[in-house]
Structures are given as structure tokens and as C-alpha cells.
Amino acid sequence: KAGKSLTKVMQNPVGTALMLQLNPAMAAAKAQVKVYNTAGQQVLNAKYAKELNVSALAPGMYLARVSDGTLTETVKFIKK
């Protein structure tokens, strides 16, 4: 499905942990998650895990870009 992200945020708004359901076509072992604030600044760069600690982020809207080197998807989430 072109243009539609298959990666999903499991709980939105997010508290201390960002929980992602990865697109089944992505290789979880290779996946990287980069989180950007609304100004476009990268605020987090981590290896994919079912739960990512985002407690250090300020409340607001963020974009999480998930990539395994072949596929890249972007999802929005709100940090409360």
C-alpha cells in the first residue's frame, strides 16, 4: 500500500515508552528508529525495540522514522 504506513504506534499519546508495532515486511533485527521534533531536529536515535524510552522528551508532537535499510516509514505520535 503506497503512502500508507503499516508501522503503528500502539498507544497514543505516549507516556514514558513509545510502543511500535512494526510493519511485518520490515526486518526487526536491522530496524533503526529516529525521532524528530516539530522543528525537524533529531531528538532520539535508537535500535528498534518493542518499547523505546522517551521519558526524556518534552511534551509535544513528534515523528518517528523507522527504517531497516530497505523500507522506511514515518509515524506521528504525541508525548504527554
Side-chain angles (χ1 to χ4, degrees), residues 28-65:
K30 293 184 193 172
Q32 247 344 80
V33 180
K34 293 182 180 179
V35 177
Y36 299 88
N37 63 18
T38 52
Q41 299 164 311
Q42 185 177 307
V43 292
L44 181 73
N45 184 1
K47 193 166 172 21
Y48 167 76
K50 281 192 178 10
E51 288 191 26
L52 293 171
N53 183 354
V54 292
S55 60
L57 298 182
M61 186 182 292
Y62 293 90
L63 292 175
R65 183 167 289 152

